[in-house]
Amino acid sequence: MRTTFIAAAVAALAFAGAAQAQSANYGIDPTHTFVTFEIGHFGATTNRGRFDKKEGTIQLDKAGKSGKVDISIDVTSINTGTPGFDKHLQSADLFDAAKHPTIKFSSTKFTFNGDKVSEVAGNLTLLGKTQPVTLKATQFNCYENPMLKREVCGGDFETTIDRTAFGMNYGVDWGFPKNVRLVIQVEAVKQ
């Protein structure tokens, strides 16, 4: 009986080690990663912008169907193509970049469809407040990058958040929508 228990314990440790060995670390490629947002403008048009500076890491275990993501976004890098609008977005009215220079996303759960990531649930911190969000993949793939000679994984993810849940209330009384669509294009290089 004792031999069986020891054999089972050794097998469990070997399995755990093998599963851990399947996990790989990836660094966010800032040249192929963009975080954009869209919000309606009086029901007539859609305002769009993106954040140009971001960094982060991804840990992906395709065999174990799990992962971890940590991404930081520099609020001062907001870019709508209109400098005056960028300045207003960075002001205390909206993103309050002076007090809250970073937006963060940390995952809590990966969901897979076959061998592809289909959702990443996690916590978004904006204006010092943290709320749960789920990013749904519209596409995801891993490939051997011919120039880097390393594996790259990436996808397009999206979600819609209620900005007032983070305390961003500017313009709601005038009819600006509460909901903001986030679109995240991310690629990460295996380290």
Side-chain angles (χ1 to χ4, degrees):
M1 178 85 156
R2 184 168 187 234
T3 305
T4 303
F5 176 75
I6 292 171
V10 169
L13 287 173
F15 177 76
Q20 190 175 30
Q22 297 295 325
S23 183
N25 293 317
Y26 298 78
I28 298 292
D29 177 355
T31 63
H32 288 93
T33 300
F34 296 98
V35 177
T36 61
F37 63 88
E38 300 175 352
I39 185 169
H41 189 251
F42 291 107
T45 58
T46 301
N47 284 330
R48 292 179 175 88
R50 75 178 193 195
F51 297 94
D52 289 334
K53 294 181 184 173
K54 57 274 162 196
E55 62 184 20
T57 58
I58 297 173
Q59 188 177 58
L60 185 61
D61 181 351
K62 291 182 269 186
K65 306 230 185 276
S66 65
K68 176 85 175 120
V69 172
D70 287 298
I71 296 179
S72 295
I73 301 162
D74 181 347
V75 175
T76 64
S77 73
I78 201 163
N79 182 353
T80 63
T82 306
F85 188 34
D86 296 345
K87 187 174 180 180
H88 185 226
L89 287 168
Q90 291 178 37
S91 77
D93 285 343
L94 294 154
F95 285 97
D96 200 359
K99 288 185 185 172
H100 304 284
T102 306
I103 298 169
K104 293 187 178 195
F105 176 78
S106 293
S107 67
T108 55
K109 181 183 177 188
F110 274 48
T111 302
F112 283 73
N113 182 3
D115 64 348
K116 298 189 184 278
V117 177
S118 60
E119 286 185 358
V120 178
N123 294 308
L124 181 67
T125 302
L126 171 65
L127 293 171
K129 295 183 178 157
T130 302
Q131 297 289 330
V133 299
T134 299
L135 304 172
K136 295 187 184 278
T138 58
Q139 61 183 6
F140 180 87
N141 193 41
C142 294
Y143 66 97
E144 188 69 24
N145 184 297
M147 294 188 304
L148 299 175
K149 308 290 188 225
R150 289 193 279 173
E151 182 183 50
V152 173
C153 292
D156 291 335
F157 295 83
E158 59 183 55
T159 192
T160 299
I161 63 167
D162 175 350
R163 64 188 176 98
T164 63
F166 298 92
M168 189 182 288
N169 300 313
Y170 179 82
V172 171
D173 293 341
W174 300 338
F176 290 142
K178 294 179 183 182
N179 289 338
V180 178
R181 181 173 179 245
L182 300 177
V183 179
I184 298 100
Q185 164 194 334
V186 61
E187 289 195 24
V189 181
K190 190 173 184 179
Q191 303 299 297

